[in-house]
């Protein structure tokens, strides 16, 4: 029993009527322009603007690997910008994903979700552009969210259910 609910659909349209937090992975260089973030920006402008301001504030503003920024976008929907990726390209040390940063961020999300009485919704975070492996991400979700009693839904994008997308957006299903 995984405790994670797997859903076919769009993570930017989280199911339910409770308070919902949409979690996704961001990089530590302030880049916002490929993958799942484009789907977020298409629906709401504030998560990108807040992320860019946060990055500009640097360490003084708490911007670092493992940090999370919570941005309310609707009365019952929040975006969790989790800095879990070092850079944006694979290098000699491997892909940009940083599992220890993802773990630290998920722990913060569990606290916020408990405070809000929220469920957490996400694509397969860290497994698109960040280059991560779901077999390493899923146990982190179990350890930090499910074990804390936070309901989690993971969305596998289903293009047949999605509204027509603007081809200029270039969203990558499952990308982060």
């Amino acid at each position: 029993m995984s405790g994670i609910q797997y859903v076919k659909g769009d993570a930017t349209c989280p199911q339910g009527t409770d308070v919902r937090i949409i979690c996704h992975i961001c990089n530590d260089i302030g880049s916002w322009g490929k993958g799942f973030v484009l789907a977020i920006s298409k629906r709401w402008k504030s998560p990108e603007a807040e992320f860019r301001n946060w990055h500009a504030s640097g360490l003084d503003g708490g911007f670092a690997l493992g940090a999370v920024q919570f941005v309310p976008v609707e009365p019952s929907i929040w975006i969790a910008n989790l800095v879990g990726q070092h850079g944006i390209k694979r290098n000699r040390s491997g892909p940009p994903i940083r599992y220890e940063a993802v773990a630290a961020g998920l722990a913060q999300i569990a606290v916020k979700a408990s405070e809000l009485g929220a469920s957490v919704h996400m694509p397969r975070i860290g497994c698109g552009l960040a280059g991560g492996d779901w077999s390493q991400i899923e146990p982190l979700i179990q350890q930090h969210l499910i074990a804390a009693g936070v309901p989690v839904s993971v969305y596998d994008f289903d293009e047949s259910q999605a509204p027509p997308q603007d081809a200029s957006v270039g969203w990558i299903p499952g990308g982060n």
Side-chain angles (χ1 to χ4, degrees), residues 102-112 144-145:
V102 173
L106 290 173
Q108 293 172 60
I109 292 168
V111 170
K112 184 72 166 181
H144 296 286
L145 296 173

Side-chain angles (χ1 to χ4, degrees), residues 120-135:
V120 174
H121 302 257
M122 64 183 75
R124 290 186 187 244
I125 60 169
C127 296
L129 298 172
D133 182 342
W134 188 248
S135 70

Side-chain angles (χ1 to χ4, degrees), residues 19-22 70-73 75-80 112 116:
V19 176
R20 287 151 284 157
I21 298 172
I22 300 171
F70 296 96
V71 181
V73 292
S76 62
I77 299 177
W78 294 67
I79 301 296
K112 184 72 166 181
L116 296 172

